[in-house]
Amino acid sequence: MTQLKIDLTDPKVLADPGPTYDILRAKAPVYHIEDDDIYVISRYKDARMVLRDHERFSSEAMGRIATAGLGRCKREGDPLSDAFAENLEKTRNVVTSDPPDHTKMRRFLSKRFTPKRISAWAEKVEGLADELLDEMIQANQLGKADLAAQYAYSIPLIIIAEMLAVPYELRAKFRTWSDMAIGIFSGAPLTQEVQEGCLGLTFFFAEQVQQRRQDPSGDDLISLLIQQNPDDDSTLDDGEIVQTCTLLLIAGHETTANLILNTSRALWLHPEQRARLEHDPSLIPAAIEEALRWDGPVQAVYRSTTCDVEVAGTHIPKGKVVLVQLGAANRDEAQFPDANRFDIDREITEHLAFGSGNHFCLGSHLSRIEGRIAMEALLRRTRNLRPNGEPVRAAGNILRGYSSMPVAFDVV
Amino acid sequence: MLIEIADTVLMSPSSGLEVDIFIPAINDYFFGMEDMEMKIAVNLEVCESNQVCEGLAPSVFRVNEDDVLEILMSELDASNTELVAKIRKAVSMCPKDALSIVDE
């Protein structure tokens, strides 16, 4: 038998991972990447089972892998930056923890992210989307519209900056730092400049935490995080709050940006479905759900095994890293008939784009609202949105999207 | 035909963490089998008011003004197998696994 050899980070695979996912699910539902000693789970049923079984599949691996880049950020001769790097791996947070720690932290945060709390932001997002479109329309006249930089990335970033009450005069810097921190997750080289940017972000958050401790009267997310958790009277220390802020920023920014970009691309690949959305904007939420399933911004998450397990007949030893390939699970024919087809009329079923189980995306409602409003404004005010040059795809098989997407369009 | 839900236990989040409604297992009822009860349990400690259940069966599940999940329905039209299917789907799709059906 010939050994199946698959490289999920191959640019050819990234351009259209569908066929590779088909092979994985059919031939190697638990595929062992020997070089990295990682097990890739690709079938829907298995992926959902792993995500919902936190006892056998720990989220600790998310921290070990995802924070590895940030942990290497250092400033020579600055003991504070060394302390930060050292702390980062030890600090528990809502993404990397398991119950019972996770349950408490999660409940503390989730109260701020319920659909009702989030829908209060809708008006602000609408105003923002229109304002940004005004500017992008001007850029379009010069042939310089970029849907990523001028629109998709700006919406979630400005909203999260509002939620964290980042002072206006620091917003430009905040954006630069945030871009750099996100770059690390997409495998950008760890230059001195990038390291400085990430440290800038960390020290900025640390300073904000100090300010909130002196004046805890605010209603922003950082003010919430310094409060005592009513569930168990626990509090977060400065390092934990800084890390949580960084997480909220990274998790809530690039992912939503790419939801908007991936949806836009899906629609220009399927102009007949786009035309229907232009005539009937009430179909937009269904299109967003389908884009999440068909080409979601988060293609995979990590877990690690806490004991020997068997998945789809394959033995995975204790302590191994498991990559749950959400994107492949979301194209599983066993769950979604004609799965490789983008179809906004698909019946609502549970896709795994936001994960499943106790780590289900905390920001899913925010992401859906931002995505919906961004697409509504775009479809209302533009026609024939199309590529105008090569989009730049973000590297890696974890986050799926673009860092740049030059476009042209007609104005309504 | 209306079947009354056998027991409705509603506890506020401060007094307890489960909201239970009891619905006779409709299919069994129809086919004249033993009158079993289907119990839907909501674990409010885990529920994050994601409203997936509300989206699927708004006549049964509603997240109130305080962002707490409420069970609205006190009786269920048994011929409405569509609704029963939706309730089952809501239970399986809850992202937090906060809903469960216990066949008693």
Side-chain angles (χ1 to χ4, degrees):
Chain A
M1 197 181 108
T2 49
Q3 189 76 31
L4 188 64
K5 197 86 184 155
I6 283 173
D7 177 8
L8 287 163
T9 59
D10 182 336
K12 272 180 282 182
V13 173
L14 290 175
D16 178 16
T20 306
Y21 290 163
D22 291 346
I23 294 168
L24 279 176
R25 280 190 318 271
K27 302 222 157 104
V30 178
Y31 175 68
H32 187 219
I33 307 175
E34 278 176 16
D35 295 348
D36 307 318
D37 198 12
I38 289 177
Y39 293 81
V40 183
I41 312 274
S42 51
R43 285 182 184 162
Y44 181 91
K45 254 179 83 176
D46 300 331
R48 189 173 185 277
M49 180 277 292
V50 169
L51 295 171
R52 290 193 172 226
D53 186 349
H54 58 78
E55 281 175 12
R56 294 191 302 158
F57 299 92
S58 164
S59 287
E60 152 284 335
M62 286 294 274
R64 200 152 25 95
I65 295 159
T67 57
L70 280 178
R72 289 198 306 272
C73 289
K74 282 190 176 171
R75 187 184 285 155
E76 287 308 315
D78 182 345
L80 211 54
S81 88
D82 289 347
F84 162 67
E86 204 176 295
N87 249 326
L88 194 71
E89 277 194 58
K90 281 188 281 179
T91 308
R92 67 196 172 117
N93 70 53
V94 77
V95 169
T96 61
S97 59
D98 294 312
D101 282 354
H102 171 264
T103 316
K104 291 172 191 160
M105 295 176 86
R106 171 82 186 203
R107 273 181 67 78
F108 193 37
L109 277 172
S110 68
K111 288 178 191 132
R112 283 299 176 102
F113 287 90
T114 59
K116 287 230 163 65
R117 291 296 283 265
I118 289 303
S119 57
W121 288 90
E123 210 176 310
K124 195 149 231 161
V125 180
E126 281 163 12
L128 180 60
D130 263 329
E131 222 175 277
L132 291 165
L133 263 181
D134 289 341
E135 290 171 28
M136 197 170 73
I137 287 169
Q138 288 185 7
N140 184 50
Q141 287 167 350
L142 305 169
K144 287 182 177 166
D146 188 317
L147 193 63
Q150 290 155 10
Y151 194 66
Y153 277 82
S154 300
I155 292 173
L157 179 74
I158 292 170
I159 295 299
I160 196 82
E162 292 269 334
M163 288 183 157
L164 294 165
V166 176
Y168 281 96
E169 64 274 17
L170 288 172
R171 297 262 167 117
K173 261 192 178 162
F174 183 70
R175 182 176 192 145
T176 313
W177 294 331
S178 149
D179 285 347
M180 287 172 171
I182 285 167
I184 292 183
F185 283 84
S186 307
L190 206 61
T191 62
Q192 192 56 39
E193 196 194 0
V194 167
Q195 295 189 46
E196 286 289 334
C198 292
L199 290 169
L201 186 68
T202 301
F203 294 140
F204 164 75
F205 280 136
E207 208 179 284
Q208 294 290 308
V209 173
Q210 286 311 314
Q211 281 181 15
R212 301 300 195 289
R213 290 205 193 279
Q214 278 157 25
D215 175 14
S217 64
D219 190 38
D220 58 282
L221 276 176
I222 302 177
S223 299
L224 170 84
L225 291 170
I226 65 169
Q227 290 167 20
Q228 204 172 41
N229 187 341
D231 278 351
D232 62 348
D233 296 337
S234 65
T235 50
L236 300 178
D237 67 31
D238 286 13
E240 289 166 340
I241 299 176
V242 167
Q243 202 184 124
T244 303
C245 291
T246 311
L247 268 174
L248 291 174
L249 170 68
I250 292 171
H253 177 188
E254 189 180 22
T255 49
T256 302
N258 285 323
L259 171 60
I260 297 167
L261 296 170
N262 292 350
T263 306
S264 302
R265 173 175 168 272
L267 292 180
W268 79 51
L269 293 174
H270 302 87
E272 69 300 334
Q273 296 189 56
R274 179 168 68 187
R276 288 178 54 207
L277 298 182
E278 286 167 355
H279 289 114
D280 183 2
S282 73
L283 296 172
I284 290 175
I288 299 268
E289 288 311 302
E290 179 61 349
L292 280 163
R293 181 196 72 81
W294 190 70
D295 199 20
V298 182
Q299 289 285 303
V301 293
Y302 293 104
R303 293 291 185 267
S304 57
T305 51
T306 61
C307 56
D308 285 13
V309 294
E310 196 168 300
V311 179
T314 304
H315 177 79
I316 307 176
K318 177 183 174 175
K320 295 294 181 187
V321 174
V322 168
L323 189 66
V324 187
Q325 200 71 35
L326 308 174
N330 281 339
R331 297 280 191 108
D332 191 337
E333 286 284 329
Q335 180 70 15
F336 307 100
D338 205 3
N340 280 323
R341 193 181 125 76
F342 178 82
D343 178 6
I344 60 171
D345 296 321
R346 204 174 278 281
E347 193 203 341
I348 312 169
T349 43
E350 185 198 356
H351 62 67
L352 299 179
F354 289 124
S356 192
N358 65 339
H359 285 274
F360 181 78
C361 177
L362 184 74
S364 65
H365 310 300
L366 180 59
S367 185
R368 281 180 168 128
I369 278 195
E370 289 175 341
R372 171 178 61 78
I373 293 172
M375 293 314 296
E376 278 170 1
L378 201 59
L379 289 162
R380 190 177 67 241
R381 297 184 59 188
T382 75
R383 286 289 176 275
N384 195 20
L385 183 79
R386 56 198 180 269
N388 184 28
E390 268 311 300
V392 181
R393 185 169 278 292
N397 65 320
I398 307 296
L399 297 176
R400 180 164 179 80
Y402 302 86
S403 55
S404 162
M405 188 181 269
V407 291
F409 50 85
D410 309 325
V411 179
V412 175
Chain B
M1 175 172 88
L2 286 175
I3 290 178
E4 204 173 331
I5 287 165
D7 276 300
T8 304
V9 184
L10 279 167
M11 283 191 275
S12 73
S14 53
S15 68
L17 291 163
E18 288 218 327
V19 177
D20 298 340
I21 60 168
F22 299 91
I23 302 173
I26 306 301
N27 292 334
D28 296 334
Y29 199 90
F30 256 108
F31 294 111
M33 291 167 66
E34 202 182 330
D35 189 11
M36 288 170 66
E37 279 192 341
M38 184 173 85
K39 169 182 165 184
I40 298 181
V42 183
N43 184 345
L44 288 177
E45 193 176 355
V46 175
C47 173
E48 285 183 351
S49 312
N50 281 303
Q51 292 178 311
V52 174
C53 53
E54 185 175 342
L56 286 161
S59 58
V60 179
F61 304 99
R62 189 180 80 101
V63 172
N64 70 17
E65 295 307 309
D66 299 324
D67 264 335
V68 177
L69 180 64
E70 283 177 357
I71 309 294
L72 297 174
M73 195 158 252
S74 59
E75 46 186 35
L76 184 71
D77 186 349
S79 60
N80 196 346
T81 48
E82 201 184 322
L83 183 62
V84 174
K86 277 180 183 164
I87 292 173
R88 286 193 181 277
K89 193 168 175 183
V91 170
S92 80
M93 276 179 66
C94 172
K96 299 293 292 188
D97 263 342
L99 297 170
S100 54
I101 294 179
V102 189
D103 288 312
E104 293 184 337

